[in-house]
Amino acid sequence: MLGKIGSRLSVVKESPCRNTSSRRIVERFLEQRYAINFCVKLAKTGKETPDMINEAYGDITMGISDVFEWHKLFREGSVTS
């Protein structure tokens, strides 16, 4: 159901982040997931959401295809945050 994103996150989730910067990146991506879900709840389109994520998290942003995929999953109700 989660496709390629779910499999990547499960790998990240299972591996302990010993490096502080790696942990920050994982936390930032989780934070972006919450932001994407918020955009869906505000009825933002799939085009608006990546632009908003890039504006808010410009330094460390997940890829645009990942943003689209999460937007789709939240919109369809396949996952919850």
Side-chain angles (χ1 to χ4, degrees):
M1 232 189 241
L2 293 178
K4 62 181 182 175
I5 291 176
S7 61
R8 278 189 279 176
L9 284 182
S10 64
V11 170
V12 171
K13 189 176 180 181
E14 291 170 5
S15 1
C17 294
R18 294 186 182 122
N19 185 334
T20 305
S21 63
S22 296
R23 186 177 303 127
R24 255 182 58 204
I25 291 170
V26 170
E27 289 171 355
R28 181 63 65 100
F29 285 171
L30 181 60
E31 185 179 327
Q32 289 175 36
R33 262 187 64 189
Y34 293 133
I36 294 166
N37 191 26
F38 184 69
C39 288
V40 169
K41 290 177 186 277
L42 293 176
K44 298 297 180 187
T45 66
K47 172 64 178 131
E48 292 173 303
T49 301
D51 295 339
M52 293 176 74
I53 297 297
N54 284 331
E55 186 176 337
Y57 300 98
D59 56 336
I60 303 174
T61 306
M62 68 173 65
I64 192 167
S65 61
D66 291 334
V67 175
F68 282 132
E69 183 70 20
W70 280 113
H71 186 276
K72 178 183 172 204
L73 291 171
F74 283 124
R75 189 182 72 240
E76 294 172 347
S78 299
V79 293
T80 58
S81 51

